[in-house]
């Protein structure tokens, strides 16, 4: 026998998952079997011996319901634990046929005789477990195990989160390009030499005044 404590963590999780799921189904089936053997008159009878045809049909459905509840959980959940999930979709029907048939039967009896025959739940509390709690639990198990959509398989155990990789080293900052040198300022051209002033011309000589003419004689 494999010692689970010596198995790697991943294998341990998978094997534990299979054993837990299959064990739940087996436990439920054994529980129903013990209840049937403890109260055989509630389960083992000929439903067709009932004179009322409506009641005969209801009792037949009830008989089918408890037989499915006896065999179904172990068959479906053990197969699921071994990797075959094709039957998991039938688990809600197996869980509900039995309690729904009981409700229909009690309503028919009340309409026919005006009396509720539900006192057995108080007299024998074990039937609260088989008729109410167990079907609800099976619906819960189905909801946990069922595929979320047609393209995905059944939801398995969550794997371990991988370790975070080491952060890469920071790249070196590139060197900044050198700024181009500013061109030198051009030299200012020399001022041209001022030309020499031309020489002033000489003043011309003033001409001589003419002589005054002689005054004429009186007549």
């Amino acid at each position: 026998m494999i010692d689970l404590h010596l198995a790697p963590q991943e294998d341990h999780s998978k094997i534990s998952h299979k054993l837990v799921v299959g064990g739940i189904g087996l436990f439920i089936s054994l529980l129903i079997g013990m209840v049937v053997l403890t109260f055989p008159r509630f389960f083992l009878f000929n439903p067709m011996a009932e004179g009322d045809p409506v009641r005969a049909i209801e009792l037949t459905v009830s008989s089918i319901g408890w037989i499915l509840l006896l065999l179904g959980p172990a068959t479906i959940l053990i197969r699921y634990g071994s990797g075959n999930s094709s039957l998991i979709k039938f688990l809600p029907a197996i869980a509900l046929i039995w309690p729904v048939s009981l409700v229909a039967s009690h309503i028919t009896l009340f309409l026919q005789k005006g009396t509720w025959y539900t006192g057995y739940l108080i007299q024998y509390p074990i039937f609260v477990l088989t008729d109410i709690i167990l079907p609800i639990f099976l619906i819960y198990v189905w909801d946990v195990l069922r595929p979320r959509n047609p393209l995905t398989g059944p939801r398995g155990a969550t794997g371990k989160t991988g370790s975070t990789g080491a952060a890469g080293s920071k790249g070196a900052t590139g060197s900044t390009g050198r700024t181009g040198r500013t061109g030198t300022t051009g030299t200012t051209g020399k001022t041209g030499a001022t030309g020499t002033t031309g020489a002033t011309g000489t003043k011309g000589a003033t001409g001589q005044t003419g002589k005054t003419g002689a005054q004429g004689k009186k007549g």
Side-chain angles (χ1 to χ4, degrees), residues 146-206:
R146 68 184 176 92
R148 294 295 134 184
N149 61 63
L151 299 180
T152 60
R155 185 169 56 188
T158 304
K160 296 186 299 180
T161 304
S163 58
T164 305
S169 58
K170 185 176 180 181
T173 305
S175 58
T176 306
R178 291 184 299 173
T179 305
R181 291 182 297 176
T182 305
T184 57
T185 305
T187 57
T188 305
K190 296 180 180 179
T191 304
T194 304
T196 57
T197 304
T200 305
T202 57
K203 184 177 180 179
T206 305

Side-chain angles (χ1 to χ4, degrees), residues 6-83:
L6 299 178
Q9 182 61 38
E10 184 177 355
D11 294 339
H12 184 278
S13 299
K14 291 180 180 179
I15 296 172
S16 299
H17 177 70
K18 293 179 180 181
L19 292 177
V20 169
V21 173
I24 290 173
L26 183 60
F27 175 79
I28 292 173
S29 294
L30 290 175
L31 175 64
I32 297 298
M34 293 297 103
V35 173
V36 171
L37 294 177
T38 304
F39 304 96
R41 67 187 182 90
F42 283 94
F43 299 94
L44 304 176
F45 56 86
N46 181 12
M48 302 311 297
E50 181 68 34
D52 184 356
V54 175
R55 290 282 297 136
I57 294 174
E58 290 175 345
L59 293 175
T60 300
V61 175
S62 295
S63 297
I64 296 173
W66 74 257
I67 292 173
L68 290 176
L69 200 60
L70 172 66
L71 303 176
T75 302
I76 292 175
L77 295 182
I78 289 176
R79 286 174 62 86
Y80 183 93
S82 64

